[in-house]
Amino acid sequence: MPNPKLSAVIITKDAEGSVKDGLESVKCADEIIVVDGFSTDRTVEICKGYTDRIILSEFKGFAEERNKGIDSATGDWILQLDADEVVTSGLAKALKEAMASPGPYIGYKFRRKNFFLGHPMKYGGWYHYSAHFFKKGSGRYEGLIHERLKLNGQQGTIEAEIEHRPFTSIAQFVSRQNRYTTYEAKDILNEKGVIGKRAVMYNLYFKPAKLFWKFYLKKQGFREGMIGFIFSALYSYVHFMKWAKYWELAYGQKAK
């Protein structure tokens, strides 16, 4: 029986500073597919040094971009990545072993080691699992920003890590989250319509404080020092931004 083939799908947009490391880390894949949102920097040029499978696509949500990669893949298994993610040697080995002997599983989640401002986050709830490795034909993505992989079978667990370095500065974090929260607010409106004002007020007044308590105290973000405090405060504010934009979409015109 021939060895199963792996397709690595990478989603990119103006990622010239990070994409090369990710591409280098998946050279072990049988094919690399890049879905690029019409980058204006050197991202596509860099990608061409690793693959000719580059799809230019106007961004309409991460789920749609990832599904385009799935549809173009020819491998037996698919590994979905962001441009700022790097597959470690340990994870590459674990993926190969899982493909060779998957057992009852049609997909796997693996560890995601996140870096915040260059600092590896062990606490604060940001050392978690990422579910982006599965058999071709076994799953599709749903959602605009925080897309979800829907599998039609059992999912296993791999403890090896992928490294994720999304932000190099607070300014970059704020700029990106400003863009993401706009999509998230639209996603809520599309899925739930105009929900009650009491629920909106809860997410504006109380939920940000609860999230800070969760990240900083319950998930022990305080153990990361000042980085943990800033992380907890910023992600609580992201929730506020998302719901403030939802309020603007659902009620803003009526409130004038």
Side-chain angles (χ1 to χ4, degrees):
M1 184 176 179
N3 292 328
K5 303 297 183 182
L6 175 63
S7 297
V9 177
I10 303 180
I11 309 300
T12 63
K13 170 67 175 178
D14 294 336
E16 65 179 8
S18 60
V19 71
K20 185 173 182 179
D21 289 341
L23 289 164
E24 283 285 339
S25 75
V26 293
K27 288 170 70 175
C28 57
D30 296 284
E31 69 175 354
I32 300 173
I33 299 169
V34 173
V35 182
D36 182 80
F38 288 97
S39 291
T40 57
D41 61 6
R42 295 181 58 250
T43 298
V44 173
E45 178 186 342
I46 294 170
C47 291
K48 285 180 179 178
Y50 294 85
T51 180
D52 58 0
R53 303 288 309 282
I54 299 174
I55 302 168
L56 298 179
S57 172
E58 182 180 352
F59 184 81
K60 295 180 180 178
F62 283 117
E64 184 170 325
E65 303 305 287
R66 294 197 188 279
N67 288 333
K68 286 179 182 178
I70 292 173
D71 295 337
S72 298
T74 63
D76 304 291
W77 287 75
I78 296 172
L79 173 65
Q80 289 268 358
L81 300 172
D82 293 338
D84 49 18
E85 292 181 320
V86 174
V87 175
T88 62
S89 58
L91 179 57
K93 180 182 177 182
L95 297 178
K96 185 176 180 180
E97 292 172 350
M99 289 192 299
S101 182
Y105 305 118
I106 51 86
Y108 286 86
K109 60 182 179 180
F110 46 81
R111 282 285 186 182
R112 195 185 204 201
K113 185 178 184 180
N114 291 288
F115 289 74
F116 186 72
L117 305 180
H119 177 80
M121 294 290 291
K122 186 176 181 181
Y123 300 99
W126 222 31
Y127 182 59
H128 51 75
Y129 289 102
S130 180
H132 293 301
F133 175 56
F134 53 96
K135 284 184 179 179
K136 166 95 171 173
S138 298
R140 303 289 289 180
Y141 286 89
E142 299 176 357
L144 277 175
I145 295 299
H146 295 299
E147 71 281 11
R148 299 169 295 278
L149 174 63
K150 298 295 185 180
L151 294 175
N152 57 18
Q154 294 186 61
Q155 183 181 68
T157 300
I158 293 174
E159 290 299 330
E161 301 170 333
I162 198 168
E163 291 189 353
H164 181 220
R165 302 172 183 267
F167 312 112
T168 58
S169 69
I170 292 176
Q172 185 186 42
F173 173 91
V174 172
S175 175
R176 188 176 300 180
Q177 293 302 322
N178 183 44
R179 185 170 73 252
Y180 286 177
T181 51
T182 297
Y183 286 114
E184 289 175 316
K186 292 178 180 178
D187 214 6
I188 297 171
L189 186 62
N190 289 338
E191 288 186 4
K192 300 183 179 181
V194 179
I195 63 178
K197 288 186 177 180
R198 179 175 294 183
V200 177
M201 291 302 104
Y202 167 79
N203 279 287
L204 287 172
Y205 286 112
F206 302 108
K207 189 64 180 286
K210 289 185 67 175
L211 286 173
F212 180 84
W213 176 86
K214 176 183 177 181
F215 297 143
Y216 193 63
L217 297 175
K218 184 178 180 181
K219 298 293 185 179
Q220 301 183 51
F222 64 87
R223 298 181 67 173
E224 303 286 1
M226 183 58 72
I227 286 285
F229 177 81
I230 294 172
F231 168 86
S232 302
L234 285 176
Y235 269 97
S236 301
Y237 175 65
V238 166
H239 183 87
F240 173 84
M241 259 203 307
K242 175 176 66 179
W243 281 93
K245 289 179 180 182
Y246 171 83
W247 174 86
E248 182 180 37
L249 290 173
Y251 291 102
Q253 294 297 322
K254 301 175 184 177
K256 291 181 179 179

